[in-house]
Structure formats: structure tokens, C-alpha cells
Amino acid sequence: MGKLTAAVRSPALLCAMAAPVLYLVVNLIAIQAAVADPPGDWMLGPLDRERASARMWTFSIALILAAEAAFLGALDGWLSRRPEVARVVPRAVVGVGYLLSLALAVAADPTSSLWELNDDSALDSLVPAWHFPALVAIGVVSLVAVVGWLVGAGRDRS
């Protein structure tokens, strides 16, 4: 219960921990919107395979990001009992690692043709135009949240 209480006291950390859920929701909505109106019946088979592959990769990436976010929360609770100098460096290392993972997840989006063996992917051309800017916005908000969490780590909690 102590670790959860520590995470709840840090709104910036909660915001950063919400990124995997937002990533999952944005990708699943975009995948569903892309296959809602296929360009032709001949595309249904390949498009269904691409949709299944994109969903599997989306869930896998979101699970990895969620594990990293849970580690951030656990680390925050564990480090809050340490001296101030011993708090900042581990938080910075783990926070930057989390942000790099999130940036990689946004750049290697499962709806792109990167995940297919050939470049004949139709899913990347069918996703809505708001999809990539939404993923970038999740990354930017997470960046601000982790920086806020790191700045808050240097302050004395009372």
C-alpha cells in the first residue's frame, strides 16, 4: 500500500504511468478505424492478417511499457526513503530509459509497414490522419510528466 500511496502523491508520475494505456487505446481505435471500411473485398484477407498482427504488437508493446511504468512507480516508493542524492540518479536513469522506450514505441508504430516483411502494407495508408499526432502527443505529455517527476524528486517530500 505504501508504494501505491507514493505514486498517488505524484501526479506527474501518474501521468507518465498512464502512457501505456493511452498508447494502447489510440492504436486500437486507429486499427479499428482503418479496417472499418476496406477499399475492396479482395483486401479483406490481407487486411485482417495485418490487423491481427498490429493488435498483437500493440498489446505486446503496451505490456512492456506498462511493466516499465510499474517499475517507475515501485522505484518512486522505494527511493523516497533514501537520501536525496541517492534518489535523483536512479530516477533519471530509469526515467530516461522509459522515455526512450516510449519514443521507440511511437516511432516503430505497429500500424506501419515496418512490422511487415514486405512493403505492401495497406494498414499504414488506411489509419486515420490523427493517429500519429496522437501518439506524439502521448510522448510529449509523458516527457513533461517524467521531467516533472524528476524535478519533484529533488525536492524534499514532507
Side-chain angles (χ1 to χ4, degrees):
M1 184 69 178
K3 292 177 185 175
L4 180 62
T5 306
V8 172
R9 282 189 293 188
S10 174
L13 183 60
L14 280 177
C15 186
M17 291 174 71
V21 175
L22 294 173
Y23 176 84
L24 181 69
V25 168
V26 165
N27 271 327
L28 291 179
I29 289 172
I31 291 167
Q32 188 60 37
V35 298
D37 189 24
D41 289 339
W42 59 273
M43 287 288 295
L44 289 178
L47 204 54
D48 282 342
R49 283 191 298 276
E50 286 184 45
R51 179 182 63 183
S53 174
R55 282 183 178 168
M56 188 251 335
W57 281 111
T58 297
F59 279 114
S60 300
I61 291 170
L63 182 66
I64 292 169
L65 290 174
E68 289 181 4
F71 184 68
L72 280 177
L75 184 71
D76 185 59
W78 180 69
L79 287 177
S80 65
R81 298 181 298 272
R82 298 212 158 291
E84 188 172 325
V85 175
R87 289 186 217 169
V88 176
V89 173
R91 285 183 186 189
V93 169
V94 173
V96 167
Y98 176 69
L99 289 173
L100 288 174
S101 296
L102 186 60
L104 181 63
V106 169
D109 178 39
T111 61
S112 70
S113 61
L114 176 72
W115 299 96
E116 297 296 321
L117 294 177
N118 57 13
D119 289 337
D120 296 338
S121 176
L123 195 60
D124 60 345
S125 61
L126 295 174
V127 292
W130 54 262
H131 177 245
F132 190 71
L135 291 178
V136 171
I138 291 169
V140 169
V141 169
S142 296
L143 171 67
V144 170
V146 169
V147 168
W149 176 61
L150 291 172
V151 168
R155 296 184 183 159
D156 186 27
R157 290 187 186 185
S158 51

